[in-house]
Amino acid sequence: MLGYFQNFLQHLDLSALLDIIQQVLAVLLCLTVHETCHGLAALALGDPTAKRMHRLSFNPLHHIDWLGLLSMFLCGFGWAKAVPVDMRYFKNPKAGMALTALAGPASNFLLALAALFFASLIGGLPAAALNGFLVWLFYFLLRTAILSIGLGLFNLVPIPPLDGSKILFSFLPERAYYTLMRYERFGMLLLLVIVWLDLGGSYLSNAIGVVYQRMAGLFF
């Protein structure tokens, strides 16, 4: 058994392991910020549901949907546990839902800006001051920025249950709005088909590239 373990360590690709760790941490950070900010926005608008269910937390374990996380790594598409929102607490239910939904993508864009800012600080250090950890952190921050932009843009697509649908639907008449919200769960099937067939994937990738370049240009 000891010999097997030693052989495993000898053949372990440390750089690949560190890359996997970097990817996992970046994904968890982006999803956690996204979901927590949904809950914070809802609370600010009068809905304490997320707070009562302990979802106002930056602990990723409170937000992970394990199937969604696995899907993200295997298929490039995944999800976290949706933050519970009770729109009956909002003075204006449609506007409250739209603002709560918008808080998720907005938080991802702000996270991307913060990540790029700190990456620029590391990038501005003299070469003699850099070490292995700082180099790893630099690329972690860049990866976080790209993933966070991608998550923010993807969620703005107006297909239920993505945030973009709640924002767009808020402009509809009351009857149409509540009808569409009632059948929101069926949008997930449409979304899975779109992702599986890679419809529009190139447009999203191009959009991520454009936004990333514009944001990075502010700091580099």
Side-chain angles (χ1 to χ4, degrees):
M1 185 69 179
L2 180 59
Y4 173 82
F5 183 67
Q6 290 175 336
N7 184 62
F8 171 77
L9 290 177
Q10 289 174 356
H11 291 85
L12 180 65
D13 187 341
L14 184 59
S15 63
L17 178 61
L18 289 174
D19 187 67
I20 292 172
I21 292 173
Q22 189 178 93
Q23 177 79 1
V24 171
L25 291 177
V27 167
L28 291 178
L29 177 59
C30 294
L31 289 176
T32 300
V33 168
H34 182 100
E35 296 301 331
T36 301
C37 287
H38 277 317
L40 289 172
L43 181 64
L45 292 167
D47 176 18
T49 307
K51 181 179 181 180
R52 286 204 304 259
M53 298 185 71
H54 308 290
R55 295 297 303 277
L56 301 185
S57 170
F58 286 101
N59 180 350
L61 294 178
H62 290 180
H63 305 286
I64 290 176
D65 182 304
W66 294 105
L67 180 59
L69 185 64
L70 179 63
S71 175
M72 179 169 286
F73 288 109
L74 294 180
C75 309
F77 163 73
W79 57 89
K81 285 193 294 187
V83 167
V85 177
D86 188 342
M87 62 193 301
R88 291 173 297 181
Y89 284 101
F90 300 145
K91 292 181 179 178
N92 184 327
K94 287 199 302 179
M97 282 298 295
L99 290 172
T100 299
L102 183 61
S107 71
N108 285 126
F109 297 136
L110 291 174
L111 174 61
L113 286 170
L116 288 168
F117 169 72
F118 287 111
S120 71
L121 295 182
I122 297 174
L125 294 174
L130 296 176
N131 54 39
F133 172 73
L134 285 177
V135 171
W136 182 91
L137 180 60
F138 175 79
Y139 286 107
F140 166 75
L141 291 168
L142 294 185
R143 173 169 280 179
T144 297
I146 293 171
L147 287 172
S148 200
I149 291 169
L151 183 61
L153 289 176
F154 179 73
N155 271 279
L156 287 176
V157 174
I159 298 176
L162 298 180
D163 299 323
S165 66
K166 297 180 177 64
I167 298 168
L168 180 63
F169 291 175
S170 68
F171 294 99
L172 297 176
E174 295 284 327
R175 184 173 180 179
Y177 177 82
Y178 288 107
T179 298
L180 288 170
M181 290 291 285
R182 191 177 305 120
Y183 295 102
E184 182 182 49
R185 62 186 181 278
F186 296 111
M188 191 66 174
L189 297 176
L190 174 61
L191 200 57
L192 288 171
V193 170
I194 290 173
V195 171
W196 181 262
L197 297 176
D198 194 28
L199 300 176
S202 61
Y203 295 105
L204 180 61
S205 297
N206 291 337
I208 293 170
V210 170
V211 175
Y212 176 78
Q213 289 177 357
R214 296 288 176 85
M215 286 188 177
L218 297 174
F219 305 106
F220 291 95

